[in-house]
Amino acid sequence: IFRFMILMNNKMLTFIQRKGRDSIRLSMKLSEILKAGVREMDGCYFLNYFLEENSQYSSDVFEDLTSYESFMNGFHVEDYCTRHVVENSFHFSVRLAKLLKGTCKYRIVLSIDKQNDCYITFHSVHQGEPEWIDQTGIDSCSECIAIFM
């Protein structure tokens, strides 16, 4: 059995209750991102799909490794699917959690704004560094937030 935890703010819980749960297949482009896999480099984990695209960035221009990973792994879901964006975002996040299981301790952050635009990023947990989003303050966020861990 595969298990992980999802922490959601009240906005996300309300949003999901209103939206319901549709069963869909993950879009082809989002599937391609997952098929490319995840790579560990210098204690950081990256979606291979975005590594070449972001190769001009290095960790020394970021505050810490957490912000570096979050930037390198972040994307707007609408850029990779046009239908069932919210459902695809959740499906992708669950599949990414399965892909990361056993490789590192991680946080996948899914945010949905008022226009239903979805943004996903993830980072591994780095000792002594703050997480990309403060879990204790997610209810104060203006967006719907889900953190997969």
Side-chain angles (χ1 to χ4, degrees):
I1 292 177
F2 175 75
R3 293 186 179 160
F4 59 90
M5 188 169 93
I6 304 174
L7 176 65
M8 296 183 204
N9 66 358
N10 287 326
K11 289 178 181 84
M12 182 66 85
L13 289 171
T14 302
F15 179 82
I16 290 173
Q17 289 168 345
R18 264 194 345 255
K19 184 108 175 116
R21 297 180 75 195
D22 294 330
S23 180
I24 58 144
R25 287 182 53 171
L26 189 61
S27 80
M28 242 167 76
K29 288 183 180 180
L30 290 174
S31 291
E32 288 173 14
I33 294 171
L34 291 171
K35 280 182 190 168
V38 175
R39 179 183 309 172
E40 186 272 332
M41 291 177 13
D42 301 322
C44 293
Y45 291 82
F46 303 104
L47 290 163
N48 283 323
Y49 189 91
F50 298 116
L51 267 179
E52 187 174 317
E53 179 180 308
N54 293 322
S55 63
Q56 71 273 26
Y57 299 104
S58 65
S59 63
D60 58 346
V61 298
F62 292 88
E63 186 177 317
D64 55 28
L65 296 177
T66 300
S67 58
Y68 177 47
E69 282 176 321
S70 296
F71 173 81
M72 295 287 286
N73 293 313
F75 67 97
H76 292 273
V77 178
E78 298 79 15
D79 293 342
Y80 299 92
C81 79
T82 55
R83 297 181 47 199
H84 307 291
V85 175
V86 172
E87 295 86 349
N88 269 283
S89 298
F90 271 95
H91 196 43
F92 180 91
S93 297
V94 168
R95 297 232 348 241
L96 178 57
K98 289 179 182 179
L99 183 65
L100 292 171
K101 185 178 180 354
T103 61
C104 62
K105 191 174 178 182
Y106 62 86
R107 302 291 185 263
I108 301 165
V109 180
L110 165 60
S111 63
I112 305 171
D113 68 15
K114 289 179 170 122
Q115 291 78 35
N116 288 347
D117 293 331
C118 300
Y119 186 80
I120 295 174
T121 190
F122 86 90
H123 66 84
S124 59
V125 176
H126 298 279
Q127 185 123 9
E129 291 186 8
E131 294 190 24
W132 188 72
I133 189 165
D134 177 15
Q135 295 174 25
T136 61
I138 64 171
D139 275 325
S140 65
C141 294
S142 62
E143 299 179 335
C144 300
I145 302 288
I147 304 172
F148 296 73
M149 54 187 117

